[in-house]
Amino acid sequence: MNKDLDKSTVQTAYARWAPIYDAVCGPVMVKGRRAAAAAARSVGGKILEVGVGTGLSFDDYDATTEITGIDMSAPMLEKARTKMASGRYPFVKDVVQMDAHNMTFADATFDCVVAQFVITLVENPERVLSECHRVVKPGGRIILVNHLYSEVGLAAAVERWAAKKTRSLGLRPEFPFARLEAWAQSNDNATLVERRKVAPFGIYTLVCFERTSAIAA
Ligand SMILES: C[S@@+](CC[C@H](N)C(=O)[O-])C[C@H]1O[C@@H](n2cnc3c(N)ncnc32)[C@H](O)[C@@H]1O
């Protein structure tokens, strides 16, 4: 398996992506984004979007929810703030520049934490998952959507090849589901409740964890 991406590569990449992100990644990822937001709406309440980017997901929420977004990239957040300023998203409470590895929110702040196309490209995915778990309430959910590694066959070979070419773009096609599963297994209070393929053609996978009880001190 390739090394995890480092923060400076990701920050440089998303500063470049910001001006064209909505045009390029909006349509391609829309089904995955919508599936994750629908799963989050079914939990409802206070929702944290980790790696909210340009706020493309705002259209997928409504007044039954209160959205807070964080992202490491100031240029991506600037686009999200422009969307907020349109007045179309009164349910978006705030977007904040923050590293998902070290969130400043108190424990058990949110009913649901969503990360759409993020977990595979952070520097330390297990640490980010543990931070998501810390800030979600007992009984709350962590919902991820991503392209995950195909593991076998031609698709896996293509992904391994593409992984070397796409690192500098802040993309990572060869991240295995086993890592997400192992994180949950190593954590007494995290349960894997759903893993399912999402259209188009099942290229994205939605993964959902539940925080089952308070974390022991
Ligand atoms: C592929 S984009 C996805 C954006 C958005 N979730 C969407 O679906 O369009 C990944 C985002 O994660 C952000 N990101 C990467 N690492 C991060 C970290 N450690 N903390 C916060 N945001 C991070 C990037 O800046 C970028 O905006």
Side-chain angles (χ1 to χ4, degrees):
M1 190 174 60
N2 290 319
K3 272 174 51 183
D4 295 328
L5 271 68
D6 63 84
K7 279 184 206 172
S8 68
T9 300
V10 171
Q11 254 178 327
T12 305
Y14 283 92
R16 289 197 187 119
W17 271 115
I20 56 165
Y21 186 85
D22 286 10
V24 177
C25 299
V28 179
M29 295 164 160
V30 67
K31 295 249 167 98
R33 209 176 279 115
R34 275 190 196 148
R41 283 200 314 274
S42 74
V43 178
K46 291 173 80 170
I47 295 173
L48 174 66
E49 279 245 355
V50 170
V52 66
T54 61
L56 275 174
S57 62
F58 293 167
D59 280 321
D60 302 325
Y61 293 106
D62 57 32
T64 62
T65 53
E66 179 191 280
I67 310 299
T68 302
I70 66 160
D71 203 287
M72 204 164 70
S73 168
M76 293 289 275
L77 283 177
E78 216 177 285
K79 299 281 178 187
R81 291 196 178 106
T82 302
K83 289 188 180 73
M84 287 167 73
S86 72
R88 289 173 56 205
Y89 310 106
F91 45 86
V92 179
K93 186 182 156 205
D94 204 3
V95 295
V96 187
Q97 189 173 14
M98 194 186 293
D99 182 354
H101 296 81
N102 296 295
M103 297 189 216
T104 56
F105 304 114
D107 296 358
T109 299
F110 298 98
D111 297 287
C112 187
V113 177
V114 187
Q116 303 166 331
F117 307 105
V118 177
I119 202 67
T120 58
L121 53 86
V122 296
E123 191 167 81
N124 184 334
E126 288 78 10
R127 179 172 170 114
V128 168
L129 284 169
S130 294
E131 273 293 272
C132 294
H133 187 253
R134 181 183 68 75
V135 301
V136 82
K137 295 175 186 172
R141 292 195 163 189
I142 301 170
I143 294 161
L144 313 174
V145 73
N146 261 100
H147 170 79
L148 296 177
Y149 183 40
S150 298
E151 313 279 350
V152 291
L154 181 63
V158 171
E159 287 161 9
R160 284 196 303 276
W161 173 83
K164 293 182 197 121
K165 313 278 172 200
T166 56
R167 284 183 82 76
S168 62
L169 298 175
L171 304 173
R172 185 173 184 195
E174 41 45 280
F175 187 95
F177 170 74
R179 256 180 99 172
L180 304 177
E181 191 175 36
W183 170 80
Q185 282 167 353
S186 70
N187 191 321
D188 286 345
N189 303 314
T191 306
L192 176 68
V193 289
E194 190 175 9
R195 173 196 186 185
R196 73 176 143 95
K197 296 280 190 189
V198 173
F201 314 117
I203 55 171
Y204 303 129
T205 302
L206 185 146
V207 177
C208 177
F209 300 106
E210 187 165 307
R211 176 174 167 180
T212 46
S213 61
I215 299 171

